[in-house]
Each structure stands twice: as structure tokens, then as C-alpha cells.
């Protein structure tokens, strides 16, 4: 069942469109992450779904309800949408319980009474903050404040929760811990989530689906594996991870290029498979280049190590081929490898080919 559906949604300031025909379907209970460069329209998308901005055209459905279309703009408080902002945005003079109760939309006085009620107790229990109900926001850590913001967003029993970079200000360890907790909590409550993030690794590791945007346009929507392994074009590939791009010639399932004759599949779904001899761009992920000692693979590529970036769980190795071509390889362990070392790089698996950019 589709819980959130956008069809050809256009939003703009004056005559300039900010969202250009966004069509998106998120299944019930799923978490979809929205990624893209700054200014591409991610937050505008959230604000439009929430009803804080009016769509110029198109339709938005939440469950079976039409909340935005020509002549219809349902008010934000009637959409059953929760919002978790980046900075938590808690009222500094209210306790944790009172901040959560305020999300019930019942007014300040009633919220203070409701802060001692069973519903607020249930919500604080969900986010593991029952013991902190009487604290003020100034007495909370960043992670605790974000948990309060999440509980407040869940107070209206929303069908959709919108998360606008809620983990951006947290330290890396806490960020991983909290996003795992939030993902599990949304799933347990059966709530559909839309997460805006600048962290591509966070999107790929946390979400059920990923939407990649640029310049107000939705370029691709799919599972994390689909986005990473089968990007629609080299721009999407480069945005969600490191990539090696090499010019070549299409030869019926192979690409002839400076790397040799490489097995490849056609990646441009909207463009017909090229004819024999047509120019293409070959895409290889760094992990598809495996390294060995110099001269160990007859079909390998002699290369010189230029840089090494240690990431703990792996190492990103910069390479220079004999003709000067620059490549990157990702290896689990670099061993005694150092800059200037002579190695052999060889290709593992099938690459992807696209129309030249």
C-alpha cells in the first residue's frame, strides 16, 4: 500500500520553479531518504508535503486522502504529518513532558495538564526518556533533545513523519546510534518516514528507499542497492559514492578503453542501447579495482600508488596508470602498501556504460 504519493508536483517562488514535476511513491511504513546538493529542493519538498508551502500544480496523497491538488490545499494541522527539525526546536521554558504534550495540539494550559497523562508517558517510553520528563531542554544532550522532538512529532499519531537532517549536529557515534533507534521506532509504530540528509552513507545504510535530487528534479528513486549499483547516470553514481569514469567504445556487451576490453552492461535506462562503435562512458566503483603485487596478473593494469586515505574499515587508494589515467581502488587492508609503490590493478565484475556526459 502506498502511504505517500506525489504526482508531477511543481513548486516555485515567483516564476522560478524550485521543484520540477516531482513524482514519488513511498510504501506504507517505509523510510525514504532524500539526498542531493544544497539548494536542490530537499527541504522545500518536505515543506510542501507538510502543507507549509503550496504546490503550483500536481497532486499529493497521504494514504487515501488527497491533501493537495488543483483547488485543494489541506491545512498542515489536518494532514497528520509529524515534523522533526534539525535543531529540535524545543520550547526552553517547558519541561520534556510539556514539550511532548504540546505536540498534541491542545493549547499551552491543556498541554501542561496532559504532560502528566498516559499518552505523554507512552511517548516518552517509546524514546527512552521517561526518567527525564521533568528536565528542561537546557539540561539535555543533543541526542536527548532530538528524541524529545521525535516524541512530539509522534504525539499526533501521524501517518507520515518528516525528518529534516535531524542527526546533522550530532557526533558520529551518537548519529549512528540515534538513526538506528529512529528507524526501529518508526517501523514499530507503522509510520512512513521521509528523511532529508546530506550524508549519503546515512541514506544508503538507513533507508528502505533513496531519492536523489538535483536542481529541483528527482533523478532516481529506488532501494539503496539499486541507487548504488545501478545508477541512472554518472552524476547519480558520483553523488552517492566514489566512481571511476573512463571514455570508451561500445562493442556489444564490452567497452574498449584504456583499461582494455571490459565487460559492461548498459546503464542509461531511458536511452536505447548504443550501436557497435558508439562512444560511451564506462563506470567502475573503486571496489571493482583489486590490487596485487606488480606483475601478478597478466591481464592487469600496471599502476603507481599516488595517495592513500585510511577509513578504518577500508582504504581508498589513489592510482596512476602508465598512461597517466587517475583511478581509485578501495581495499579492505593496504598491508605494507605506501605511496609510490608499483602495483597491478585488475577489474572484478561487470562495469556499467552510459552515454557520454
Amino acid at each position: 500500500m502506498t502511504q505517500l504519493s506525489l504526482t508531477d508536483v511543481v513548486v516555485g517562488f515567483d516564476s522560478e520553479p524550485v521543484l520540477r514535476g516531482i513524482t514519488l511513491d513511498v510504501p506504507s511504513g517505509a523510510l525514504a531518504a532524500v539526498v542531493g546538493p544544497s539548494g536542490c529542493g530537499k527541504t522545500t519538498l518536505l515543506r510542501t508535503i507538510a502543507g507549509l508551502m503550496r504546490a503550483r500544480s500536481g497532486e499529493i496523497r497521504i494514504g487515501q486522502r488527497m491533501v493537495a491538488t488543483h483547488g485543494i490545499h489541506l491545512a498542515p494541522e489536518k494532514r497528520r504529518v509529524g515534523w522533526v527539525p534539525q535543531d529540535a526546536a524545543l520550547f526552553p521554558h517547558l519541561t520534556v513532558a510539556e514539550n511532548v504534550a504540546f505536540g498534541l495540539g491542545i493549547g499551552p494550559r491543556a498541554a501542561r495538564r496532559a504532560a502528566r497523562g498516559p499518552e505523554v508517558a507512552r511517548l516518552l517510553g517509546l524514546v527512552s526518556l521517561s526518567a527525564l520528563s521533568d528536565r528542561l531542554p537546557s539540561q539535555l544532550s543533543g541526542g536527548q533533545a532530538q528524541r524529545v522532538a521525535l516524541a512530539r512529532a509522534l504525539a499526533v499519531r501521524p501517518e507520515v513523519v518528516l525528518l529534516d537532517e535531524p542527526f546533522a549536529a550530532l557526533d558520529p557515534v551518537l548519529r549512528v546510534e540515534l538513526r538506528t533507534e529512529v528507524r526501529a521506532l518508526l517501523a514499530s509504530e507503522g509510520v512512513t518516514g521521509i528523511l532529508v540528509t546530506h550524508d549519503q552513507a546515512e541514506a544508503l545504510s538507513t533507508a528502505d528507499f533513496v531519492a536523489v535530487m538535483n536542481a529541483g528534479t528527482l533523478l532516481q528513486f529506488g532501494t539503496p542497492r539499486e541507487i548504488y549499483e545501478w545508477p541512472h547516470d554518472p552524476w547519480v553514481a558520483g553523488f552517492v559514492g566514489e566512481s571511476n569514469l573512463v571514455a570508451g567504445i561500445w562493442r556489444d556487451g564490452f567497452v574498449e578503453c584504456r583499461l582494455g576490453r571490459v565487460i559492461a552492461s548498459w546503464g542509461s535506462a531511458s536511452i536505447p542501447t548504443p550501436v557497435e562503435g558508439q562512444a560511451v562512458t564506462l563506470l567502475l566503483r573503486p571496489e571493482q579495482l583489486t590490487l596485487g603485487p606488480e606483475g601478478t596478473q597478466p591481464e592487469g593494469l600496471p599502476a603507481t600508488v599516488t595517495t592513500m586515505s585510511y577509513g578504518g574499515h577500508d582504504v581508498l587508494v589513489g592510482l596512476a596508470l602508465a598512461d597517466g589515467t587517475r583511478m581509485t581502488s578501495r581495499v579492505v587492508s593496504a598491508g605494507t602498501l605506501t605511496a609510490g609503490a608499483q602495483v597491478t590493478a585488475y577489474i572484478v565484475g561487470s562495469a556499467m556504460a552510459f552515454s557520454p556526459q
Side-chain angles (χ1 to χ4, degrees):
M1 174 183 172
T2 299
Q3 186 62 34
L4 175 65
S5 180
L6 283 73
T7 304
D8 201 23
V9 171
V10 176
V11 177
F13 302 111
D14 298 324
S15 60
E16 182 65 24
V18 179
L19 299 181
R20 305 168 185 265
I22 302 294
T23 295
L24 183 69
D25 291 303
V26 183
S28 179
L31 176 64
V34 183
V35 298
S38 296
C40 73
K42 300 186 298 296
T43 297
T44 298
L45 177 64
L46 291 195
R47 292 175 63 84
T48 304
I49 294 169
L52 301 174
M53 294 186 67
R54 186 182 292 268
R56 184 183 297 174
S57 61
E59 296 181 350
I60 302 176
R61 289 180 180 271
I62 297 177
Q64 300 301 312
R65 297 179 299 132
M66 180 72 73
V67 299
T69 188
H70 180 70
I72 296 176
H73 179 80
L74 200 64
E77 64 272 17
K78 296 181 179 180
R79 295 194 178 196
R80 292 190 64 188
V81 170
W83 183 288
V84 181
Q86 181 176 338
D87 60 356
L90 303 180
F91 294 107
H93 62 291
L94 299 182
T95 66
V96 165
E98 290 166 350
N99 267 282
V100 174
F102 199 85
L104 296 170
I106 54 179
R109 290 185 180 180
R112 289 183 184 275
R113 293 194 298 270
R116 300 297 178 184
E119 180 60 12
V120 170
R122 183 187 75 85
L123 291 166
L124 289 175
L126 284 176
V127 296
S128 303
L129 290 179
S130 299
L132 306 183
S133 62
D134 292 327
R135 287 194 184 182
L136 293 173
S138 60
Q139 300 172 305
L140 303 176
S141 68
Q144 289 168 342
Q146 286 302 89
R147 286 188 176 93
V148 176
L150 178 61
R152 182 181 59 191
L154 293 172
V156 294
R157 296 188 179 269
E159 296 181 43
V160 175
V161 168
L162 307 175
L163 305 108
D164 191 6
E165 298 190 68
F167 317 121
L170 305 178
D171 66 74
V173 174
L174 181 57
R175 186 184 309 152
V176 172
E177 177 184 322
L178 188 55
R179 75 193 187 200
T180 301
E181 291 178 5
V182 169
R183 179 70 191 94
L185 178 56
L186 292 178
S188 68
E189 292 290 289
V191 176
T192 301
I194 308 296
L195 167 68
V196 161
T197 177
H198 276 96
D199 188 335
Q200 289 90 332
E202 180 175 272
L204 293 173
S205 63
T206 306
D208 300 301
F209 298 93
V210 177
V212 183
M213 292 182 62
N214 190 28
T217 301
L218 180 62
L219 301 181
Q220 188 172 354
F221 180 76
T223 65
R225 182 181 180 187
E226 289 169 343
I227 297 294
Y228 186 80
E229 296 187 10
W230 301 289
H232 283 181
D233 58 46
W235 190 93
V236 171
F239 189 80
V240 299
E242 295 89 357
S243 58
N244 297 298
L245 301 176
V246 181
I249 301 296
W250 180 261
R251 298 295 185 193
D252 190 24
F254 293 85
V255 172
E256 290 182 353
C257 61
R258 62 189 63 186
L259 306 181
R261 188 175 171 88
V262 181
I263 300 174
S265 57
W266 184 240
S268 298
S270 60
I271 302 174
T273 303
V275 298
E276 189 81 5
Q278 185 172 330
V280 297
T281 295
L282 186 75
L283 164 68
L284 281 170
R285 293 295 190 187
E287 55 269 23
Q288 291 183 269
L289 283 181
T290 302
L291 303 182
E294 184 179 15
T296 55
Q297 294 287 335
E299 72 279 13
L301 306 166
T304 302
V305 174
T306 57
T307 60
M308 297 181 62
S309 179
Y310 182 71
H313 45 73
D314 60 27
V315 182
L316 195 64
V317 181
L319 303 171
L321 303 186
D323 64 356
T325 301
R326 299 284 176 166
M327 307 285 285
T328 55
S329 169
R330 178 176 285 109
V331 297
V332 175
S333 173
T336 58
L337 206 60
T338 58
Q342 302 299 305
V343 296
T344 298
Y346 50 99
I347 298 170
V348 176
S350 173
M352 293 193 71
F354 298 91
S355 295
Q357 300 295 296

